[in-house]
Amino acid sequence: MKIKLLYAFVLISGQIGFSQIAKIIKGKITFENFTVSNVEVINSNSKKITTSEAEGNFSIEVQLNDELVFVSKTYELKRLYVTPLTYGKEDLIISLTLKPEELAEVTIFNTA
């Protein structure tokens, strides 16, 4: 009886120890020290999506080794892999960069 109980305890504790628990990551999205709103934050592993608020704040559920993708029309795509350093943090700062803007062709005439 004691061996069965010990075996059950080892089996259950092993399952709990190796299972990954989802945590919430919170952060702020910025561009040159200004907050950015309406940026989609996508967890590409779990397919969960959220959008940053007016103050640039976001929160999304993640697990270790998930990939977060930050998508906006005016900013370049940014990827963030969830590592043990970022797992469950509540003060992430994500800095975005503007997409390059393609200009139309310019023609210069010599009027002199």
Side-chain angles (χ1 to χ4, degrees):
M1 179 66 180
K2 288 183 181 182
I3 293 176
K4 288 182 182 179
L5 238 123
L6 179 63
Y7 178 71
F9 176 74
V10 168
L11 183 67
I12 291 173
S13 64
Q15 289 292 328
I16 292 172
F18 287 111
S19 66
Q20 289 187 352
I21 300 172
K23 289 189 178 181
I24 302 292
I25 281 186
K26 295 181 181 181
K28 183 176 282 196
I29 302 172
T30 63
F31 169 70
E32 293 183 355
N33 296 326
F34 294 103
T35 59
V36 180
S37 62
N38 297 325
V39 175
E40 287 187 345
V41 182
I42 304 167
N43 185 334
S44 62
N45 295 50
S46 68
K47 307 298 185 229
K48 293 187 180 187
I49 299 174
T50 188
T51 304
S52 64
E53 315 173 331
E55 296 84 30
N57 296 321
F58 73 92
S59 64
I60 190 165
E61 189 175 286
V62 296
Q63 293 183 356
L64 280 174
N65 302 321
D66 279 357
E67 177 186 30
L68 296 180
V69 182
F70 298 87
V71 180
S72 175
K73 289 182 181 179
T74 56
Y75 298 97
E76 288 188 359
L77 185 87
K78 179 150 187 164
R79 297 177 189 274
L80 173 73
Y81 293 96
V82 179
T83 63
L85 294 174
T86 57
Y87 188 60
K89 283 192 101 170
E90 295 191 9
D91 59 350
L92 283 177
I93 303 293
I94 306 299
S95 297
L96 299 180
T97 56
L98 280 175
K99 286 183 180 176
E101 186 176 326
E102 187 174 326
L103 300 175
E105 184 177 324
V106 176
T107 306
I108 300 174
F109 296 103
N110 186 358
T111 59

